[in-house]
Amino acid sequence: MAAEAHRHLEKAAGHGDVLKHIVLRSHIVAQQQAHEEGIMLIDTHCGDGLSDLSKQKSQEYEKGIVRISGDIDSAPEEVKEYYSVVQQADPYLQNYPGSPVFGEATLREQDEHRLCDLFVTDVKGLKTKPMLEKGDSFHPDATEYFLPETDKHPVVFIDPSYNDDEDFYKVRELMERVLAKNPYATIIIAYPLIEGNRYRYTFTKTLKDSAKKNAKIGYFHCWLIVQKTGMQGSSVFIANPTKRFDDIIDEEVLDYLSAILLKVGRSEYSLDQWMKKPKKKKDANAEAAKEDSGAPQFAF
């Protein structure tokens, strides 16, 4: 438990958190616009809500949120809206909000919020009390908690510690279990790009291959590199995004983040979106009408 909390604290408000929380908040809004009846946001590794940056030894926040705050006036709208949530949590930037706080700040009355974490029993920084399950999100039985019977569209956010390389494998398995139960469910996966890691280049390909096979709508993917060593950058993958999400998180947003977070050197970022073509359903009535030569044919 201490190791997990340490990981969250030492990476909090760094460049990885900046990218994933901008994408998370923006895509929640995009899904809300597509699902007026409501969405269900499921946070599989929610953490404890707030990170006290005064206790952060790595000072990763200086490479992330501090750089954003120093240039927020020229930022794209999606970055400004992200920063507004950070300011609401703590205008002095001593406490940085985690994904549960970003979720709560963005959800509407008709939406639902579910949290899960193996180590957390109390999430700080929340004004409401969403359902919180203390358990292993990677356990096969957890899928029932993530996808209950509901009319709301499920949006599953997966962001484990990745302290163990096994997490990469477990994340893909979790995505495939969710899609097996609901192939239209939206799944947002955040993950680090670590120098020398065996999954550094292969993990994204496995996610894309799986989404092409199992997701009904398609995928969105973006990544951002800001340093040459260690945790070089981060990436966010979305199975079943909204159809035009690449118009929301686009080159303008990534170019801005690259310039601000990298500070020196050339920009390194990319995004791509792949969408399945909807299959045309044959209309039995229309086929029957075509057989009646005496009936005029109309195209709608």
Side-chain angles (χ1 to χ4, degrees):
M1 178 177 178
E4 187 79 9
H6 175 76
R7 178 267 171 189
H8 279 290
L9 174 60
E10 290 307 308
K11 296 298 182 183
H15 56 80
D17 272 7
V18 170
L19 177 64
K20 76 182 177 188
H21 289 147
I22 288 173
V23 176
L24 174 64
R25 195 215 67 82
S26 297
H27 200 67
I28 291 172
V29 173
Q31 289 292 346
Q32 288 171 330
Q33 293 171 348
H35 298 280
E36 184 58 38
E37 74 281 5
I39 67 170
M40 176 181 286
L41 177 63
I42 303 102
D43 195 331
T44 66
H45 297 78
C46 65
D48 59 8
L50 289 175
S51 296
D52 185 348
L53 300 181
S54 67
K55 298 178 181 179
Q56 188 184 81
K57 296 179 181 179
S58 65
Q59 296 186 318
E60 283 293 311
Y61 68 91
E62 292 188 353
K63 303 174 185 177
I65 190 60
V66 170
R67 291 180 179 176
I68 295 294
S69 67
D71 197 74
I72 194 61
D73 290 343
S74 63
E77 190 61 30
E78 290 74 24
V79 180
K80 290 180 178 178
E81 291 171 352
Y82 148 82
Y83 188 69
S84 175
V85 177
V86 176
Q87 287 277 282
Q88 290 170 26
D90 186 344
Y92 301 103
L93 300 184
Q94 179 174 324
N95 295 287
Y96 181 81
S99 53
V101 178
F102 278 95
E104 181 188 69
T106 313
L107 294 179
R108 308 161 298 183
E109 184 178 350
Q110 65 265 42
D111 299 324
E112 188 174 338
H113 201 186
R114 288 193 170 203
L115 309 177
C116 186
D117 200 286
L118 184 57
F119 305 106
V120 173
T121 56
D122 181 48
V123 180
K124 301 188 293 290
L126 299 181
K127 299 175 182 178
T128 60
K129 290 187 177 181
M131 186 180 295
L132 172 62
E133 180 74 17
K134 186 176 185 295
D136 182 3
S137 296
F138 290 137
H139 193 282
D141 291 345
T143 310
E144 298 301 318
Y145 172 70
F146 299 150
L147 298 175
E149 292 295 328
T150 179
D151 293 333
K152 303 180 191 300
H153 178 72
V155 179
V156 183
F157 178 62
I158 307 175
D159 178 34
S161 67
Y162 297 99
N163 281 338
D164 189 334
D165 280 355
E166 194 71 11
D167 281 358
F168 289 95
Y169 173 75
K170 291 178 179 179
V171 165
R172 180 179 61 80
E173 279 199 325
L174 176 54
M175 181 180 82
E176 291 179 350
R177 283 197 298 271
V178 170
L179 291 176
K181 187 173 175 62
N182 184 347
Y184 290 95
T186 295
I187 304 170
I188 306 173
I189 300 173
Y191 54 100
L193 301 176
I194 303 170
E195 178 193 20
N197 185 275
R198 61 176 173 152
Y199 291 103
R200 172 69 173 78
Y201 298 101
T202 61
F203 185 58
T204 300
K205 183 179 184 306
T206 63
L207 295 180
K208 289 182 177 181
D209 290 345
S210 180
K212 285 182 177 180
K213 179 181 178 181
N214 302 305
K216 287 294 187 181
I217 299 173
Y219 67 73
F220 168 92
H221 170 241
C222 67
W223 58 262
L224 175 67
I225 298 294
V226 298
Q227 60 190 43
K228 294 181 179 180
T229 60
M231 182 174 162
Q232 297 172 308
S234 58
S235 186
V236 182
F237 181 88
I238 304 176
N240 293 324
T242 53
K243 293 182 179 180
R244 301 299 295 272
F245 188 63
D246 55 345
D247 288 342
I248 300 172
I249 300 299
D250 57 8
E251 285 85 356
E252 179 189 6
V253 174
L254 290 179
D255 191 65
Y256 169 83
L257 291 176
S258 180
I260 295 301
L261 298 176
L262 187 63
K263 283 296 183 184
V264 294
R266 73 184 272 274
S267 299
E268 291 189 64
Y269 61 84
S270 179
L271 68 85
D272 61 290
Q273 181 158 317
W274 177 85
M275 306 297 283
K276 288 185 175 179
K277 293 182 179 180
K279 294 182 179 179
K280 295 181 179 180
K281 296 181 179 179
K282 291 185 178 180
D283 188 330
N285 292 329
E287 292 295 324
K290 289 180 181 179
E291 295 178 2
D292 184 357
S293 58
Q297 301 299 308
F298 299 94
F300 293 93

